[in-house]
Amino acid sequence: MAKITTAVLQKMKQQADKITMLTAYDASFAKLFAEQGVDVLLIGDSLGMVLQGHSDTLPVTVADITYHTKSVRAGAPDAFVIADLPFMSYATPEQAMQSVTPLMQAGANMVKLEGGDFLLPTIQALTERGVPVCGHLGLTPQSVHIFGGYKVQGKTDAAADAMLAQAKALQDAGAQLLVLECIPTPLARRITEALRIPVIGIGAGNVTDGQVLVMHDLLGISSGYIPKFSKNYLAQTGEIRSAIAAYVSEVKSQVFPGTEHSFN
């Protein structure tokens, strides 16, 4: 498997080769995912819920993400690794630059930030200093208390137009990747077609340039709520390696996500 870089991801978008991404938090699973052909590994602040047992992602710290980034990098030395910047660790460009330093030193290839227009100076500052950035729009879990819960975003014409404008602004500021979470499929199509950079969906239909899932959801072992946009591949295959291979295959062939995993 060829080494994945931002240039490779860009070429995959141009060639309509779907990008596969999974969250990873330790060396063993990172190694397994890389061996099964997962293109990108994300150290998500979802670890606050699936590993630490919190009800949301807000308690996660930069130190937590740094620790798990080191673990993932050790297990998958050639993988393309994205590390989440946790809640309130990038309130200003200066704070963001301090926060990304241990993540990049731990082995991240890129960092991910949630939000729109307020992030533009931060994204510009990071990219100017050699830190690749992934944006995140739609349902941004760090803003769950503002949204009043985990709700689909961009449902009105005005909200959809605003999100498209924000996506373009993030790209123009220097973002090289974008995650769209829990938005209607037609809006995901509009944004994906409008951007030069790859767009990764989670609960955004199969029209984006790739897909990401939380590994615990994919394996059906998350405690409590399993989101509509996920699929239990372990129940389908009965074996972890086969589950990951099935996920990669179904994303590449656009079988997953189906309409039952999407919002229209």
Side-chain angles (χ1 to χ4, degrees):
M1 181 178 174
K3 187 177 179 68
I4 303 293
T5 64
T6 53
V8 170
L9 295 175
Q10 185 66 51
K11 187 174 181 180
M12 291 176 73
K13 176 185 176 80
Q14 294 166 354
Q15 297 179 341
D17 180 6
K18 296 293 185 179
I19 298 164
T20 56
M21 184 188 301
L22 281 176
T23 63
Y25 314 99
D26 64 45
S28 297
F29 274 105
K31 182 175 186 293
L32 172 63
F33 295 165
E35 290 173 347
Q36 295 303 316
V38 177
D39 297 312
V40 180
L41 304 181
L42 169 66
I43 295 84
D45 59 3
S46 51
L47 68 87
M49 302 171 75
V50 298
L51 297 187
Q52 298 175 339
H54 300 299
S55 60
D56 54 43
T57 64
L58 273 58
V60 176
T61 67
V62 172
D64 291 334
I65 299 290
T66 301
Y67 171 86
H68 290 282
T69 300
K70 288 180 180 178
S71 299
V72 167
R73 177 54 74 201
D78 295 325
F80 190 88
V81 171
I82 302 176
D84 262 345
L85 279 172
F87 178 67
M88 288 302 289
S89 67
Y90 51 100
T92 65
E94 293 74 21
Q95 186 188 25
M97 285 185 280
Q98 291 179 343
S99 297
V100 303
T101 301
L103 301 181
M104 298 297 288
Q105 291 175 338
N109 299 107
M110 177 178 276
V111 297
K112 183 168 74 64
L113 309 86
E114 297 181 7
D117 293 341
F118 81 95
L119 283 177
L120 300 181
T122 296
I123 293 173
Q124 184 174 358
L126 290 175
T127 54
E128 286 175 348
R129 289 159 177 81
V131 179
V133 173
C134 174
H136 186 155
L137 293 174
L139 173 58
T140 47
Q142 292 174 16
S143 301
V144 64
H145 295 309
I146 295 291
F147 297 145
Y150 295 95
K151 299 179 179 180
V152 178
Q153 303 297 308
K155 292 190 291 185
T156 68
D157 289 344
D161 290 344
M163 194 179 302
L164 174 59
Q166 286 187 332
K168 291 178 178 178
L170 293 178
Q171 173 183 260
D172 291 344
Q176 293 179 282
L177 203 67
L178 178 67
V179 169
L180 295 176
E181 181 168 355
C182 284
I183 68 170
T185 301
L187 175 56
R189 184 187 298 276
R190 284 179 65 195
I191 294 174
T192 302
E193 292 178 350
L195 296 191
R196 302 181 304 274
I197 61 175
V199 176
I200 308 299
I202 177 167
N206 68 356
V207 297
T208 53
D209 300 307
Q211 300 294 325
V212 59
L213 283 180
V214 174
M215 58 165 281
H216 293 69
D217 292 343
L218 179 148
L219 298 175
I221 59 173
S222 295
S223 60
Y225 173 71
I226 301 294
K228 167 187 170 72
F229 52 71
S230 190
K231 180 177 179 179
N232 186 339
Y233 281 93
L234 186 57
Q236 174 180 310
T237 63
E239 197 266 333
I240 290 178
R241 284 180 175 80
S242 300
I244 305 308
Y247 166 70
V248 171
S249 175
E250 290 193 1
V251 171
K252 296 289 186 182
S253 62
Q254 300 184 56
V255 171
F256 177 83
T259 54
E260 68 272 26
H261 310 110
S262 307
F263 305 98
N264 292 300

